[in-house]
Amino acid sequence: MNATFPRSARVRTSAEYARVFELAKRTSDPMLSLHWQAADSPARLGLAVSRKVDPHAVGRNRIKRNLREAFRHLRGRLPGGAYVVVARSGAAQADGAALREAFARLLQRVRVLRAERPDEQLPRLLAQAHVVEQRDESAPEVRGHVG
């Protein structure tokens, strides 16, 4: 499986986002909202994480990184179209596993991701999409320009 995230796999322009928001099927939960517009093109992902969700860029980037990683691993199993995920305020407090689970639940809710046996298949897929986030807690925090 090719798990890269090329430009062709992204919703990029504001016109593409506007088209998806206008014409797409929508579903949501407390952490995420998914807008899905079917198309003949391969599956593409767009992310919207505003400062209302998390005022800190590092938090917004963590949310996006986890969702991108989950999408990369699930992309081959998804039908073509544009998938735009809008983060909600609950996403800021969620860890990576919870974000990936919420994303997979939304995909199942719009019936684009089907697990053969939900109790076994979904956790295995989410484990493949796991992003290892390790920080050296003993290292001092560096601020400003280093170098």
Side-chain angles (χ1 to χ4, degrees):
M1 170 178 72
N2 185 2
T4 61
F5 196 61
R7 286 183 145 199
S8 61
R10 303 179 209 158
V11 176
R12 295 179 38 218
T13 66
S14 61
E16 290 173 333
Y17 276 95
R19 186 172 36 250
V20 172
F21 286 134
E22 183 180 332
L23 303 173
K25 292 181 182 179
R26 297 168 187 85
T27 188
S28 44
D29 76 358
M31 284 189 277
L32 304 171
S33 178
L34 174 68
H35 301 253
W36 175 58
Q37 181 183 13
D40 293 333
S41 63
R44 299 178 307 135
L45 177 68
L47 297 169
V49 184
S50 75
R51 276 177 265 161
K52 281 185 177 181
V53 172
D54 192 332
H56 306 288
V58 68
R60 295 190 304 272
N61 290 337
R62 180 190 60 81
I63 293 167
K64 291 186 281 188
R65 183 176 59 246
N66 279 288
L67 293 172
R68 270 195 309 269
E69 186 68 14
F71 181 78
R72 284 178 46 206
H73 286 278
L74 296 173
R75 185 173 179 230
R77 299 185 55 207
L78 298 175
Y83 299 81
V84 174
V85 180
V86 179
R88 299 173 118 188
S89 58
Q93 292 80 30
D95 65 353
L99 288 168
R100 291 187 298 273
E101 287 174 18
F103 181 53
R105 273 195 312 271
L106 291 175
L107 292 172
Q108 287 179 333
R109 197 177 298 163
V110 294
R111 302 188 193 289
V112 296
L113 178 65
R114 290 186 179 87
E116 295 166 7
R117 292 183 57 190
D119 57 331
E120 290 182 12
Q121 189 73 4
L122 187 57
R124 186 180 63 77
L125 288 171
L126 294 173
Q128 289 174 350
H130 177 67
V131 177
V132 177
E133 295 181 29
Q134 293 181 348
R135 291 184 183 158
D136 184 4
E137 298 298 330
S138 63
E141 184 178 334
V142 178
R143 293 182 183 231
H145 178 70
V146 177

